[in-house]
Amino acid sequence: YVSPDGKQLYFISDRPKDGAPKEDMDVWVMDQMADGNWGEARNLGAPVNSAASEWYPKLTASGPLYFGSDRPGGHGKTDLYRSTWKNHTFQEPENLGSAINSAADEYEPCIAADESFIIFMASGRPDDRGNGDLYISYRKNGQWLSAEPLDERINGRGLEISPYLSPDNRYFFFSSARRSKDIPPGERPNQAQNGLGDIYQMHVSALPKPN
């Protein structure tokens, strides 16, 4: 994930740290140098990284880092967390709470530039239409409202993943493994909506508004 200012590249990896092998995923970052090249990758370390896995880091324009983690103390399997930037370091991550996290898996946070809403992928919820759906939660007075699944224009019988907002926050992108009604189950021709995953976009104004 490239930071909003284009100067940092965040990614996850189970590569060795300090020469020691790792079985879990950590968040790493690379800085863009003055000559336009990328510097050495460095592990973010604690408190963002833990003995568990960290997933899908997204840095906001105002500084906080959002990511998923299956560290102990969450509401379920994998939860979403937020870590603020202070004194040149990321602070102890805060769990986004039960309005967003559940006993299922919550992954892939996509956060608005002003942190007014978040769209994320979740798998295993009772209202999951496929193998994983996209959900939205709005933030009011510093509190997250209860997350709701996005409607049938976005969530279908297939897997929906990878929510993204364009840099100008005008367009919403996502990937869906939906299948055309004209393609029988078990067949995957070389065309769109064949069940393997396609990329879609819509104007942000078409997203559901908070109740």
Side-chain angles (χ1 to χ4, degrees):
Y1 178 75
V2 179
S3 62
D5 62 7
K7 295 181 178 180
Q8 288 186 312
L9 173 65
Y10 288 81
F11 64 95
I12 57 173
S13 177
D14 61 356
R15 65 177 64 188
K17 179 187 175 185
D18 300 328
K22 289 182 64 64
E23 296 182 357
D24 63 297
M25 291 287 187
D26 277 354
V27 177
W28 294 69
V29 65
M30 300 170 68
D31 296 318
Q32 190 177 52
M33 312 304 289
D35 60 4
N37 292 317
W38 292 98
E40 292 294 324
R42 66 180 188 279
N43 188 295
L44 282 192
V48 171
N49 290 324
S50 68
S53 285
E54 281 66 48
W55 304 96
Y56 305 107
K58 300 287 182 66
L59 186 72
T60 66
S62 56
L65 180 73
Y66 285 75
F67 61 94
S69 177
D70 59 358
R71 65 186 63 196
H75 292 267
K77 298 176 181 178
T78 299
D79 280 5
L80 297 181
Y81 291 82
R82 175 181 185 266
S83 176
T84 58
W85 179 260
K86 185 178 180 181
N87 298 327
H88 307 290
T89 188
F90 285 110
Q91 303 300 299
E92 185 68 32
E94 59 182 83
N95 189 290
L96 295 191
S98 58
I100 290 178
N101 294 314
S102 70
D105 281 312
E106 283 75 35
Y107 294 101
E108 290 198 277
C110 171
I111 185 74
D114 59 0
E115 298 184 77
S116 61
F117 68 89
I118 185 172
I119 300 174
F120 60 92
M121 181 269 188
S123 177
R125 291 193 175 206
D127 53 6
D128 189 341
R129 293 168 57 93
N131 297 318
D133 281 345
L134 298 179
Y135 293 75
I136 189 169
S137 172
Y138 283 89
R139 196 178 190 186
K140 281 193 173 182
N141 300 320
Q143 300 293 322
W144 291 106
L145 303 181
S146 181
E148 299 288 342
L150 293 173
D151 61 33
E152 64 276 2
R153 295 173 302 164
I154 297 172
N155 290 327
R157 297 293 180 184
L159 173 67
E160 279 74 41
I161 58 174
S162 302
Y164 280 89
L165 291 169
S166 61
D168 59 7
N169 284 277
R170 294 179 61 195
Y171 295 97
F172 172 60
F173 300 85
F174 66 98
S175 178
S176 175
R178 64 187 64 188
R179 179 185 295 273
S180 169
K181 294 180 181 179
D182 299 328
I183 300 177
E187 295 186 19
R188 288 177 170 171
N190 186 25
Q191 67 184 68
Q193 297 188 1
N194 62 2
L196 291 178
D198 295 317
I199 298 174
Y200 297 80
Q201 76 174 62
M202 61 192 299
H203 199 276
V204 168
S205 62
L207 293 172
K209 301 300 185 288
N211 296 324

